[in-house]
Amino acid sequence: MNKVHNNKAWFLILPMLLLVAFSAIIPLMTVVNYSVQDVFDSNTRFFTGTEWFETMLNNPTLQAALLRQFAFSFTILAIQVPLGIGIALLMPKRGWQASAVLILITLPLLIPWNVVGSIWQIFTRGDIGLMGVSLRELGYNYNITRSPVDAWFTIILMDVWHWTPLIALLCYSGLRSIPEAYYQAARIDRASKWAVFRYIQLPKLTNVLVIGILLRFMHSFMIYAEPFVLTGGGPGSSTTFLSQSLTTMAIGQQDLGPSAAFSLIYFLIILLVCWVFYTAIMNMQKDDQRGGV
Amino acid sequence: MTSSITNAQNGVVETTAVPAQVGNETREATAAETPLKRAQPMRRGRSKGRSRFLLATYLIFLLLPIYWLLNMSFQTNSEILGSFSLWPQEFTTANYMRIFTDSSWYMGYVNSMSYVLMNMLISISVALPAAYAFSRFRFIGDKHLFFWLLTNLMAPPAVFLLPYFQLYYSVGLFDTHIAVALAHCLFNIPLAIWILEGFMSSVPKEVDETAYIDGYSFPAFFVKIFIPMIRSGIGVTLFFLFMFSWVELLLARTLTATNAQPIGMIMTRTSTASGIDWGTLAAAGVLTILPGIVVVYFVRNHIAKGFALGRT
């Protein structure tokens, strides 16, 4: 669309800008302020420069949490994206079944995150949980409070349960926008199912998939409530992700300077990935316009 | 994709020599598909059965944990801990009654609902004009501003925990509903603008121009013509706003103490020194799922299109 150049549009933006600035810029400046100072009390503080940043980057606990975080985010992406596409392809297209399946699939997305943790805690406990008891009956000594492998498996299963619906729904709406004529043309061509998927459905899905991967990446990178309720970050610190390390440091130990520096590093990592994705989306749209698809 | 389609369409044109009109092509294609269907009824039926089976398996995986929660919410604690049963043996609603009769319990739901509704109202009312500006005009710094907005969507709530606490405490908003509603604006306003911008851009600009020629002022055009046109987009946006505000706990928990405590925080009360009150925890969990079901029921017809956020 050809947009008109008009700086008066700023007036339409202004109310939003004031609100977001209040809840984003002021707090962020507070964080920046803390990150370069050593605060003893409200009157005594020293300028420390980049000292906190260096400490944080060299902190082995945080390095480990960061590695776990990346491992977690990429694992769930690798499972959820193909699974989500698969489910979207299986979903019925019309009739009451379509509505029913849509409502059921949306359900996990609307459950508060700590309740998701509780649900899975109840579901996987060895004494009262359906999954926990069944696995034990089958002879596997399943225990998420003892075995890191079980804890990881459960957290990934929980995240797949919780968020695959988002990818599935995004893909479903992408698939719905393909005109029927495309499929008819493919049938005349006697195109195989794979060819239909590869050359008709997948290209239509790229846009929504980029949105889905972007949303999933950033939410998984901020994950807090679910593992906190389910495993409390344990056993040991095997499922302690970045958010939890940060809140422990900021609220629990009141280390303002280091935790502020850590916050900024954390934010910058997400920002970097976000920028890569944003550029990718923009380039894709440019290609679309040029290609005229 | 394009090449395959073009080939297919060429194929129709060559073999049947129908003039290249869309209507004819479609009719021809439908006719051509019938023999194919007849040729492989067995394979088609079997693959449909298989896909039904796979979908059913996934739905069972989806519903099993929720069923287990529901199951527990109707059991007494002694039954939960004493015997393992797939359905409640002694059906009881005592867990629900405890929540409905104790004001410290049900006020949690009232608190959560009130800050969610406030947030939806604030977010949508400032996001509508802003999204319109982004979808229709170019202005100084528009791209940077949009990118900055998206970065807020990616800010981990944990980063803002401490500054939020201090900020809202110093302005005297700590432990009020509006504090949580404002804090959730951090990610909900950018999200709303992002979604609405997609829907608005799919409305042709000629609509605006025609309205102005007809003598509408901008506010009149916006309220009377434009907003009704993107109704479904607004519905989907409200759905997402509800979703992300309803499920967030970290900020809501930090900014409240007693008067505006969200239900998620109150649920932690079920774990006491004498053990966890599983029945009440399960009942409270079930009750947090219900508002979601109501909301999704309202937008069920728009979800299919709406999840693409106007961007397919």
Side-chain angles (χ1 to χ4, degrees):
Chain A
M1 186 183 292
N2 286 326
K3 295 182 186 174
V4 187
H5 197 91
N6 189 344
N7 279 328
K8 278 185 194 151
W10 269 96
F11 287 112
L12 295 171
I13 307 267
L14 210 59
M16 174 280 289
L17 201 62
L18 290 175
L19 263 176
V20 182
F22 179 72
S23 43
I25 295 180
I26 298 176
L28 198 63
M29 285 329 289
T30 321
V31 177
V32 172
N33 192 14
Y34 280 136
S35 72
V36 291
Q37 296 188 50
D38 194 354
V39 183
F40 283 104
D41 55 57
S42 49
N43 294 319
T44 333
R45 46 182 68 195
F46 299 104
F47 184 77
T48 54
T50 58
E51 194 188 317
W52 295 132
F53 290 91
E54 282 160 28
T55 326
M56 282 300 107
L57 283 173
N58 292 320
N59 184 329
T61 327
L62 295 182
Q63 288 170 351
L66 184 64
L67 277 182
R68 273 196 293 273
Q69 185 70 68
F70 270 112
F72 173 75
S73 291
F74 286 116
T75 314
I76 58 117
L77 274 180
I79 300 173
Q80 288 176 0
V81 172
L83 189 63
I85 297 176
I87 291 159
L89 290 172
L90 293 177
M91 280 161 75
K93 306 215 165 26
R94 55 188 71 82
W96 66 269
Q97 292 120 317
S99 304
V101 170
L102 271 176
I103 291 178
L104 286 181
I105 283 192
T106 320
L107 212 51
L109 297 175
L110 289 156
I111 302 176
W113 293 344
N114 63 308
V115 179
V116 171
S118 296
I119 289 179
W120 279 82
Q121 192 192 18
I122 290 177
F123 191 59
T124 55
R125 271 181 72 105
D127 50 351
I128 58 169
L130 182 62
M131 185 177 136
V133 171
S134 314
L135 282 175
R136 287 191 167 199
E137 289 295 311
L138 289 173
Y140 177 70
N141 189 15
Y142 175 79
N143 191 337
I144 59 170
T145 52
R146 290 262 173 74
S147 148
V149 178
D150 290 353
W152 260 87
F153 170 76
T154 314
I155 283 193
I156 284 172
L157 191 69
M158 174 177 71
D159 205 77
V160 167
W161 178 84
H162 188 185
W163 286 109
T164 308
L166 183 73
I167 305 269
L169 288 170
L170 281 166
C171 291
Y172 182 72
S173 45
L175 288 175
R176 301 300 295 131
S177 69
I178 301 176
E180 190 56 28
Y182 284 30
Y183 292 115
Q184 288 166 349
R187 245 176 257 140
I188 294 164
D189 261 3
R190 305 218 167 203
S192 67
K193 266 196 167 168
W194 168 251
V196 170
F197 174 70
R198 174 67 190 79
Y199 295 105
I200 297 181
Q201 293 172 324
L202 199 57
K204 266 282 179 188
L205 288 183
T206 20
N207 259 347
V208 281
L209 269 182
V210 171
I211 297 175
I213 293 171
L214 181 64
L215 284 173
R216 274 318 299 132
F217 176 80
M218 58 198 220
H219 277 131
S220 66
F221 223 78
M222 303 173 199
I223 189 167
Y224 174 79
E226 300 100 312
F228 182 73
V229 175
L230 183 62
T231 65
S237 59
S238 57
T239 54
T240 309
F241 298 115
L242 281 177
S243 274
Q244 205 186 326
S245 320
L246 179 59
T247 38
T248 320
M249 197 190 294
I251 305 293
Q253 303 161 1
Q254 290 283 340
D255 284 339
L256 293 185
S259 58
F262 176 41
S263 295
L264 288 179
I265 297 169
Y266 186 9
F267 193 16
L268 285 177
I269 293 174
I270 299 192
L271 219 60
L272 184 74
V273 181
C274 154
W275 179 80
V276 170
F277 273 114
Y278 185 78
T279 328
I281 297 176
M282 286 300 127
N283 283 341
M284 215 176 284
Q285 281 175 352
K286 248 182 240 159
D287 286 350
D288 272 5
Q289 278 160 12
R290 218 176 290 142
V293 178
Chain B
M1 174 190 85
T2 335
S3 67
S4 147
I5 303 294
T6 332
N7 285 345
Q9 286 172 350
N10 286 344
V12 173
V13 175
E14 277 163 26
T15 49
T16 59
V18 174
Q21 282 169 15
V22 182
N24 280 342
E25 261 176 34
T26 323
R27 205 181 311 137
E28 208 57 35
T30 328
E33 126 204 65
T34 341
L36 249 149
K37 247 188 189 163
R38 213 176 293 140
Q40 357 168 288
M42 280 301 284
R43 219 189 65 178
R44 213 163 258 271
R46 210 182 302 147
S47 87
K48 199 169 189 186
R50 200 184 56 195
S51 71
R52 283 242 170 109
F53 171 74
L54 287 174
L55 186 66
T57 316
Y58 176 73
L59 288 179
I60 289 171
F61 165 66
L62 203 69
L63 291 178
L64 219 47
I66 298 179
Y67 168 72
W68 199 245
L69 188 77
L70 199 65
N71 174 23
M72 289 220 157
S73 71
F74 290 117
Q75 293 181 348
T76 57
N77 275 319
S78 59
E79 192 190 338
I80 293 172
L81 294 170
S83 62
F84 181 79
S85 50
L86 289 176
W87 54 85
Q89 305 291 335
E90 314 153 41
F91 188 86
T92 173
T93 53
N95 298 321
Y96 289 96
M97 289 324 287
R98 191 169 310 131
I99 292 171
F100 285 132
T101 50
D102 185 349
S103 75
S104 66
W105 264 106
Y106 65 73
M107 279 315 283
Y109 290 97
V110 176
N111 291 335
S112 289
M113 284 315 271
S114 31
Y115 70 69
V116 168
L117 290 178
M118 278 182 196
N119 173 269
M120 283 163 75
L121 200 70
I122 298 173
S123 301
I124 199 83
S125 50
V126 300
L128 273 170
Y132 182 79
F134 280 117
S135 84
R136 291 293 192 267
F137 300 113
R138 254 186 297 142
F139 47 93
I140 295 173
D142 55 352
K143 291 211 172 89
H144 301 96
L145 196 64
F146 201 71
F147 179 68
W148 172 70
L149 278 174
L150 286 183
T151 63
N152 286 319
L153 207 57
M154 331 236 146
V159 168
F160 288 99
L161 223 50
L162 201 65
Y164 267 0
F165 181 78
Q166 293 175 329
L167 176 67
Y168 286 100
Y169 208 85
S170 65
V171 294
L173 285 176
F174 180 73
D175 202 17
T176 56
H177 299 110
I178 192 76
V180 184
L182 283 176
H184 284 179
C185 282
L186 169 74
F187 46 83
N188 263 356
I189 291 180
L191 186 77
I193 292 176
W194 193 38
I195 299 174
L196 285 173
E197 196 265 340
F199 279 103
M200 288 180 178
S201 296
S202 62
V203 175
K205 224 173 75 177
E206 284 69 27
V207 174
D208 307 28
E209 283 156 5
T210 319
Y212 293 140
I213 293 170
D214 285 350
Y216 279 92
S217 65
F218 171 71
F221 153 75
F222 198 71
V223 175
K224 285 189 191 148
I225 299 178
F226 198 68
I227 287 185
M229 283 190 79
I230 52 161
R231 235 183 3 242
S232 62
I234 293 178
V236 169
T237 312
L238 286 174
F239 168 80
F240 275 94
L241 293 181
F242 174 89
M243 173 175 148
F244 281 107
S245 184
W246 178 250
V247 298
E248 207 279 336
L249 180 75
L250 195 53
L251 290 178
R253 192 185 70 177
T254 314
L255 294 177
T256 54
T258 46
N259 297 326
Q261 215 174 24
I263 181 62
M265 196 52 206
I266 292 177
M267 278 174 73
T268 55
R269 259 201 280 156
T270 51
S271 75
T272 54
S274 57
I276 298 176
D277 182 359
W278 293 110
T280 315
L281 177 71
V286 170
L287 290 177
T288 60
I289 302 179
L290 294 182
I293 298 182
V294 174
V295 170
V296 79
Y297 182 77
F298 277 122
V299 292
R300 69 188 183 287
N301 294 326
H302 301 295
I303 293 180
K305 276 189 188 154
F307 257 87
L309 316 179
R311 282 188 178 75
T312 42

